[in-house]
Amino acid sequence: MSALTGCAAWAPASTVEAWPVSAPCIAARPAAPTLPAVPSHGIFEQVQALLAREQLRAAHVRQLELLLEACSGG
């Protein structure tokens, strides 16, 4: 199984992709969330957008971890 790292791991997916794992109950990886754009100016707006991006990414990671846990019987 390959680890999801780097910017490419969090790019928006237009379709559900096959996810090669040993757990047979996971047929496909859930699509990554679409991340909000970060404005080019306005520090407050930039911080808000970056925090929203991090919250979406963290929620997606939790979803993947819960799927793996459920399939491993943990």
Side-chain angles (χ1 to χ4, degrees):
M1 179 171 72
S2 62
L4 298 174
T5 59
C7 294
W10 308 113
S14 59
T15 60
V16 176
E17 303 170 19
W19 193 28
V21 295
S22 60
C25 61
I26 299 177
R29 177 178 65 109
T34 301
L35 301 177
V38 177
S40 60
H41 62 280
I43 189 70
F44 182 73
E45 292 81 7
Q46 290 173 340
V47 169
Q48 277 188 315
L50 290 170
L51 287 173
R53 289 171 69 97
E54 178 57 25
Q55 289 171 348
L56 286 170
R57 187 201 63 78
H60 183 66
V61 168
R62 282 192 302 274
Q63 181 183 21
L64 294 175
E65 289 170 345
L66 288 172
L67 284 172
L68 285 173
E69 185 178 318
C71 288
S72 67

